[in-house]
Amino acid sequence: MPKDKAPTRIQRKNRLTILEAALDVFSSQGFRGATVDQIAAVAGLSKPNLLYYFPSKEAMYDAVLSQLLYTWLDPLRTLTPEGDPLEEILSYVRLKLEMSRNYPRESRLFANEIVQGAPRIHQVLATDLKQLVDEKAAVIQGWIDAGRLAPVHPYHLIFSIWSLTQHYADFDVQVRAVLGQEDPFAAAPDFVETLYRRLLSPAGA
Amino acid sequence: MPKDKAPTRIQRKNRLTILEAALDVFSSQGFRGATVDQIAAVAGLSKPNLLYYFPSKEAMYDAVLSQLLYTWLDPLRTLTPEGDPLEEILSYVRLKLEMSRNYPRESRLFANEIVQGAPRIHQVLATDLKQLVDEKAAVIQGWIDAGRLAPVHPYHLIFSIWSLTQHYADFDVQVRAVLGQEDPFAAAPDFVETLYRRLLSPAGA
DNA sequence: CCTCGGTTTGACCGTTTGGTCAAATCAAAG
DNA sequence: CTTTGATTTGACCAAACGGTCAAACCGAGG
């Protein structure tokens, strides 16, 4: 392992290559399903070389996961009390849907981790994520109390957005199997927009 | 392995015990994450004994999965052209939600399989499932054309029901982490019912 | 050119895992 | 009780896997 001095050019490049390959393999096979040899093959490096840059397979997984967590929670932060309530939520939905389209591996890795009980990120969910959702749910509840949004359970509204948007990435094969050759993301944006407009438009509209 | 004659009482009992244990372990660890020893421990039998009843670990997985598939697609079959459109869909939604509550292991096993690309059931999805969904989507489209349901993309409507209801089983830990000690299924039925009423109620209502 | 720290790898190790097998045990029929 | 086929298991095997290590390699500074 390199000293804890400033990383060299080669170190930066190889670390990125490895993380990229690890994301590929972990997201499609899960942690236990993935092997270091597979990751090495995808990265185009030898197995001992991977273990020169990361102390263990678990360290690779943790690195991929923590890097992912940071960007994964980001879209929710963009939801702010200013601006039109419905448009705020719709743009959050659109953002999440585009992340599913553009970063399906990240979505699947996250799904894998959660489905298996989130053994490694349970703490983050119960603290950081909960705090963030509490905060945004309060914003939504505020809009509802002000009559600017039809009444809904704010937490379950957020859950519904997660499940709906991530479904297109996580269950991609199922969606494709049912739709035939049609592109799943063709009609999805219109559908979710319609759904949340009808769900959330205040009564008078 | 037993002959292919009529199964004895012991065979029936042990096969069921093993499948139950296998569902437990496969659903929480995935196929590669599960070990035959784990399943044996849960079943209270020895490892060679499991392999006396099933030729391989994969055979156990296939048995669990195919048994699951049959019941999993069943709720959708209950959706029939007769009866009130909105109520038909709402009762399908309620059925799916109860399955998530009562059979979370099945839901998670299915999710695991799909997320990892559905290597073993791809064929079933592209034939049986697609055919069933095609049929039901046509029913829904018929209701829409008759003005008895607000216009929506029928396929994506079905996807949304799957994702929403299964989310409570598959992402259980995440939902619980965010909600604190609150029971996720307490408010869920009301939420989904509200959602689909607002989405689907015909314009004039 | 040489040096030296960073980098790469072939060979290897201990453990885990899926699966086998012969021998032991059990249970039902005669 | 005895027999016979079904059932159970301790011991074992080969392959796969995560990880180690000493030796080789490489590239930038002197």
Side-chain angles (χ1 to χ4, degrees):
Chain A
M1 334 162 192
K3 302 283 170 64
D4 50 5
K5 306 287 175 176
T8 70
R9 181 172 30 89
I10 294 180
Q11 281 173 32
R12 267 196 301 273
K13 196 193 91 185
N14 280 351
R15 262 192 235 269
L16 282 181
T17 305
I18 293 169
L19 286 180
E20 180 66 17
L23 174 60
D24 234 67
V25 177
F26 282 134
S27 69
S28 64
Q29 314 268 51
F31 177 73
R32 297 240 6 211
T35 71
V36 179
D37 285 289
Q38 279 180 318
I39 301 174
V42 173
L45 299 171
S46 68
K47 180 169 73 165
N49 206 359
L50 296 215
L51 294 162
Y52 170 72
Y53 288 102
F54 292 89
S56 68
K57 174 186 172 184
E58 192 151 359
M60 296 177 211
Y61 188 75
D62 288 346
V64 171
L65 199 58
S66 72
Q67 183 185 270
L68 155 68
L69 263 182
Y70 185 79
T71 57
W72 207 242
L73 304 185
D74 225 47
L76 188 51
R77 288 188 241 274
T78 68
L79 200 140
T80 59
E82 300 85 28
D84 182 62
L86 187 55
E87 284 308 318
E88 282 288 318
I89 290 175
L90 283 181
S91 77
Y92 172 57
V93 171
R94 284 187 211 108
L95 210 55
K96 284 289 289 178
L97 198 57
E98 288 205 6
M99 289 194 63
S100 270
R101 192 213 299 254
N102 297 330
Y103 305 101
R105 294 176 307 171
E106 281 83 348
S107 186
R108 274 194 274 266
L109 181 65
F110 191 76
N112 242 308
E113 175 69 14
I114 302 284
V115 168
Q116 304 202 353
R120 297 152 211 274
I121 59 172
H122 202 269
Q123 205 53 34
V124 184
L125 299 184
T127 56
D128 297 22
L129 177 64
K130 177 171 168 44
Q131 186 190 339
L132 180 61
V133 175
D134 282 346
E135 185 188 320
K136 299 309 181 181
V139 170
I140 293 171
Q141 189 60 53
W143 285 333
I144 293 171
D145 292 342
R148 306 177 65 193
L149 224 51
V152 281
H153 194 302
Y155 289 88
H156 287 265
L157 169 63
I158 291 171
F159 296 151
S160 78
I161 296 172
W162 291 347
S163 71
L164 246 172
T165 54
Q166 290 172 12
H167 187 83
Y168 290 101
D170 303 343
F171 289 71
D172 182 68
V173 284
Q174 191 187 23
V175 171
R176 277 181 204 280
V178 168
L179 287 183
Q181 77 286 45
E182 190 186 334
D183 174 21
F185 283 98
D190 269 6
F191 175 80
V192 296
E193 173 147 353
T194 300
L195 189 152
Y196 285 107
R197 279 195 187 282
R198 291 189 192 160
L199 175 63
L200 296 174
S201 290
Chain B
M1 334 161 192
K3 303 281 171 62
D4 50 6
K5 306 286 175 178
T8 70
R9 180 173 31 90
I10 294 181
Q11 279 172 32
R12 266 195 302 275
K13 197 194 89 186
N14 280 350
R15 264 192 234 268
L16 282 180
T17 306
I18 293 169
L19 286 181
E20 179 68 17
L23 174 60
D24 233 68
V25 176
F26 283 135
S27 69
S28 63
Q29 313 267 52
F31 177 73
R32 298 245 359 216
T35 72
V36 179
D37 285 288
Q38 278 180 321
I39 300 174
V42 172
L45 299 170
S46 69
K47 180 170 74 167
N49 206 359
L50 294 217
L51 293 163
Y52 170 73
Y53 288 101
F54 292 89
S56 68
K57 174 186 172 184
E58 191 151 1
M60 298 177 208
Y61 188 76
D62 287 346
V64 171
L65 199 59
S66 73
Q67 182 185 270
L68 155 68
L69 263 182
Y70 185 79
T71 57
W72 206 241
L73 304 185
D74 226 46
L76 187 51
R77 287 187 241 273
T78 69
L79 199 140
T80 59
E82 300 86 28
D84 181 62
L86 187 54
E87 285 307 320
E88 280 289 319
I89 289 175
L90 283 181
S91 79
Y92 172 56
V93 170
R94 284 187 210 106
L95 211 54
K96 283 290 289 176
L97 198 55
E98 288 204 6
M99 289 195 62
S100 270
R101 194 214 300 257
N102 298 330
Y103 305 101
R105 293 176 307 172
E106 281 83 350
S107 186
R108 274 192 275 266
L109 182 64
F110 190 76
N112 241 308
E113 176 68 14
I114 302 286
V115 168
Q116 304 199 355
R120 297 152 212 274
I121 58 172
H122 201 270
Q123 205 52 35
V124 184
L125 299 184
T127 56
D128 297 22
L129 177 64
K130 176 171 170 43
Q131 186 190 339
L132 180 60
V133 174
D134 282 345
E135 186 187 319
K136 299 309 181 181
V139 171
I140 294 171
Q141 189 60 52
W143 285 333
I144 293 171
D145 292 343
R148 304 176 67 193
L149 225 49
V152 281
H153 193 301
Y155 289 88
H156 288 266
L157 169 63
I158 292 171
F159 296 152
S160 79
I161 295 172
W162 292 347
S163 72
L164 246 173
T165 55
Q166 292 174 11
H167 187 83
Y168 291 101
D170 303 343
F171 288 72
D172 182 69
V173 285
Q174 190 188 24
V175 172
R176 278 181 205 280
V178 168
L179 287 182
Q181 77 285 47
E182 190 185 334
D183 174 22
F185 282 97
D190 269 6
F191 174 80
V192 295
E193 174 147 352
T194 300
L195 189 152
Y196 285 108
R197 279 196 187 282
R198 291 188 192 161
L199 174 63
L200 297 173
S201 289

